[in-house]
Structures are given as structure tokens and as C-alpha cells.
Amino acid sequence: MDSLYRIIALIIKEFTMVLKDSKSRFVVIGPPLIQFFVFGYAATFDVKNVRYAVLDECRTTESRQLLAGFEGSSHFQLTRTLSTTQDIAPTIDREAARLVLHIPPQFSRDLHRGASAELRVIVDGRNSNVALIAMGYVGTIVEEFNRQIMQTSIPDRAGGAIVRVERAWYNENLQSRWFIVSALGGIISMVVVMILTSLSVAREREFGTFDQLLVAPFKPGEILIGKSIPGIVFGLADALIFAAGAVYWFGVPFRGTIQALVLALLCFIVAMVGIGLLVSSLSMTMQQALLGAFIFIMPAVILSGFATPIANMPQWLQTGTLLNPVRYIIIALRTIFLKGADTAAIWPDIWPLILMAAITLPLAGWLFRHRTK
């Protein structure tokens, strides 16, 4: 009970310092609101090397000629050849391809009869920006194919052409705002948690109260918990508020479960608290702490897949993103919002965050006791 009382006293002290400090209050409220609306209304993306899969049920000269246009394009990268229509859903679902080109069995027959031949394009609408651009590329290749086939001699052909039949999964209207805003809770909570926690120990050092904290009857674990809870509370509160804003203000659908959302955000915020406390423990002044926080924030956002696809990065950099906690929360949030994932579905993105928290938090606790100057 004595340990619990000490932890509660530390938590109250940390909350009091944050709420009494006008700069800290602004960090919790001001920047998150600005980022939410700026990203929600203004952010746009460019993409390249769109991964696609092929299901060719016709397997004729005409179908191979059409697919050759995709294989020779620098905009597309063939990742899989499918055998049946049952393979389409798992391919899109597991993000093995951004789109699937489905050529039905009657493709060439329709061309020869002068009818409209279908090219069925199934795109992953979770990333609406990629989907829209990819379908534009598809349209260009189809138009080129139509021009070429008009010049070929098909004896019984009477002017048939390809008609695309398109469907977008998970984001039917291909609204880029859904793709951006669904992940904002992770980005915003990261900024809030990193700034608050990176300042916590550095503030003690600068105000001259750090030595008093060390000689007080607090164990490193108690200090760790006391300084972690306020950051977790503020970060989780901001993330949940903006998740609600994504649904009720921007109209992003929420198809997953509340349990999965809270678990993903909580694991991510705990991992970020550990990183923030590490930065704070290594900093002698609040200025150094803020600089350290922003040194982490900028690369973490760039390498998260939020703004640019990870698949477009060099292979060594793609491997490096596995150490970035923001990568996992971005994937988890978009999967929960747009795909309708539950806790089991996002587990591959949860356990790396738990592992990171298990490493950074004990290390930060050790530094509390051993970095006295």
C-alpha cells in the first residue's frame, strides 16, 4: 500500500505540473487540433510501383497482349498470378497486391464478335490515393490496347473494345480523406506523448528537483509508473477524441471493434512513453528534450507509411521501418477503420509494440537512477 500511495502522489504531481504549465496545456490541446484539421483537409500523396495480381481466365493472344502493356509499364509491379476467382479476396485482403486484373473467359470471344470485352479491375480502396492513380494508369494502358487492336486484322471483328468494370474494396468511393484521417489518431497521440514525456525528467533537472526525487523513498519502477501515467492518459484521450472526430466530423466509417481500437492505441502509447522517457532521461535541459523529441518524430512519421508507401523505399530502409512503432499503429488503425478488423486481426501489429515497450520502459527506469548528472 505504501508503494501505491507513492505512485499516486507522483501521478498527482505530474498531472499538476502539466495542467499548471501553460506550455504543456497548449501541447495537449493546440497542436493536436491544428494537425487534425490540416492533415484532414490538406494532405495529398503521390505513388509509384503499384503492386498488382493477374487472373487470366482467357489465356489467348489478345489477353496476353493486354497484360504485356502492364508488364512493360514502370507504374506497375506484378506480384502474383492467380488461378481462380477465390484467390482474389485473400490477395487484396492480405495486401499482396493493390489491385487485381481479372480477364474473364469470354474476353477474346467478345472482341471477335464486336462486343464490349470486360477487364475487371478490383482495387484495394483502403489506400484510395493509390487506387485512383492506379485506375488512371489502367485506363491509359487499356486505351493504348484498343488503338493497337484496331490496327490488327481480326476477320470477324466488328469494332468490339474493352470495357473496364471497376470495384473498390474497403473504400468504395475512393475518398482520400478516409485514408488520411483514419490514421491521424496515431500521429497526433505520438506528438503529444513524445513532447509531454520527453519534458518530464528534463523539467526536473532544469528546475533542480531531480536530485530530490532520487533521494526520496521512490523505487525506479514507481518513478517510471508515476511519470508514465499522465502521458498515457493524455495521449489516449487525444487519440480517442480524434478517432471520434474522424467518424463524426469527416465521415470516415468505423467498421472494426472499440476493443481493438483501444488496445492498439494503448500499446502504441505505452511504447511511445518509453521512448519519450528515454529521451527525457538522456537530456539535461528541456530544450535538449524537445530537440530530441522532434529528432525522433520527423523520421518516425516519414518512415511510417503515413505519407509515402513503405514499398517504394529502398530495401534496407524498409527493413529499418520494422523498428518504427508508428508504422504498426498506422497499419492497425487503417485496418480497424476501413477493413473492420478485430483484436485478433491486428495482433501482428500489436506484439511489436508490446516488445518495444518491454525494452524501453525498463531502460528508462534504469536511467532514472543512474544518470544523476
Side-chain angles (χ1 to χ4, degrees):
M1 292 300 295
D2 290 340
S3 178
L4 179 61
Y5 291 145
R6 290 195 294 268
I7 292 174
I8 292 175
L10 275 176
I11 293 173
I12 294 174
K13 168 182 171 295
E14 291 297 319
F15 272 112
T16 302
M17 292 182 68
V18 171
L19 295 176
K20 283 188 175 181
D21 185 1
S22 59
K23 295 180 180 179
S24 297
R25 290 198 307 270
F26 178 74
V27 165
V28 174
I29 300 172
L33 282 173
I34 296 172
Q35 292 172 25
F36 182 70
F37 287 105
V38 167
F39 278 107
Y41 284 111
T44 58
F45 304 112
D46 293 317
V47 295
K48 63 178 182 178
N49 295 328
V50 179
R51 303 190 308 276
Y52 75 102
V54 170
L55 174 57
D56 185 1
E57 293 184 301
C58 186
R59 300 186 180 182
T60 60
T61 301
E62 289 79 12
S63 67
R64 288 193 293 269
Q65 181 182 350
L66 173 62
L67 294 177
F70 290 90
E71 295 171 2
S73 173
S74 61
H75 299 302
F76 292 95
Q77 179 183 0
L78 179 63
T79 59
R80 187 167 298 184
T81 300
L82 309 182
S83 301
T84 65
T85 55
Q86 285 74 25
D87 296 332
I88 295 177
T91 299
I92 296 290
D93 188 54
R94 298 169 185 168
E95 298 185 1
R98 294 289 188 184
L99 63 86
V100 174
L101 302 176
H102 179 198
I103 302 178
Q106 69 277 14
F107 177 82
S108 292
R109 184 182 63 194
D110 290 340
L111 285 177
H112 283 270
R113 291 170 51 192
S116 296
E118 287 187 355
L119 170 64
R120 299 167 184 169
V121 184
I122 300 100
V123 297
D124 184 350
R126 284 171 292 189
N127 190 332
S128 57
N129 183 66
V130 173
L132 286 168
I133 294 177
M135 287 197 296
Y137 295 156
V138 171
T140 301
I141 294 173
V142 168
E143 290 174 3
E144 179 63 25
F145 174 83
N146 285 332
R147 284 194 295 268
Q148 291 176 0
I149 205 168
M150 287 292 293
Q151 300 172 3
T152 62
S153 57
I154 301 179
D156 53 349
R157 185 178 182 277
I162 298 175
V163 177
R164 286 178 293 159
V165 180
E166 301 171 347
R167 284 191 302 163
W169 288 5
Y170 310 118
N171 186 353
E172 294 79 3
N173 297 321
L174 295 178
Q175 298 186 34
S176 60
R177 188 169 295 163
W178 289 12
F179 176 72
I180 297 168
V181 176
S182 60
L184 275 182
I187 298 294
I188 293 173
S189 62
M190 175 196 64
V191 175
V192 172
V193 171
M194 278 298 298
I195 293 179
L196 288 180
T197 55
S198 63
L199 289 176
S200 60
V201 178
R203 185 190 296 110
E204 301 274 5
R205 294 181 188 276
E206 194 162 308
F207 290 172
T209 58
F210 184 67
D211 291 336
Q212 298 177 11
L213 187 63
L214 291 178
V215 299
F218 292 113
K219 298 178 181 178
E222 295 170 351
I223 298 176
L224 182 70
I225 296 173
K227 290 191 171 292
S228 299
I229 295 298
I232 293 173
V233 171
F234 285 121
L236 185 60
D238 277 337
L240 292 176
I241 289 171
F242 292 122
V247 176
Y248 295 107
W249 183 269
F250 287 108
V252 179
F254 183 80
R255 296 168 176 155
T257 64
I258 297 294
Q259 295 87 341
L261 176 65
V262 174
L263 178 62
L265 288 172
L266 184 60
C267 292
F268 170 69
I269 290 170
V270 171
M272 294 307 305
V273 165
I275 296 173
L277 290 176
L278 276 176
V279 172
S280 187
S281 300
L282 295 172
S283 304
M284 300 302 297
T285 64
M286 289 192 290
Q287 184 178 8
Q288 292 177 358
L290 285 174
L291 180 61
F294 280 105
I295 288 175
F296 173 84
I297 289 172
M298 292 304 298
V301 173
I302 294 172
L303 299 178
S304 67
F306 177 79
T308 56
I310 294 177
N312 289 347
M313 301 176 187
Q315 186 58 49
W316 63 270
L317 200 53
Q318 293 184 39
T319 303
T321 62
L322 297 175
L323 300 176
N324 182 11
V326 188
R327 165 187 174 145
Y328 299 102
I329 193 61
I330 294 297
I331 296 173
L333 288 176
R334 286 173 176 160
T335 303
I336 292 170
F337 271 88
L338 302 181
K339 184 179 172 182
D342 56 10
T343 303
I346 62 170
W347 175 247
D349 302 309
I350 294 298
W351 71 261
L353 297 174
I354 296 175
L355 181 61
M356 292 177 190
I359 294 173
T360 57
L361 286 172
L363 182 57
W366 181 84
L367 287 173
F368 285 149
R369 183 62 65 180
H370 291 81
R371 273 190 64 87
T372 58
K373 59 181 181 178

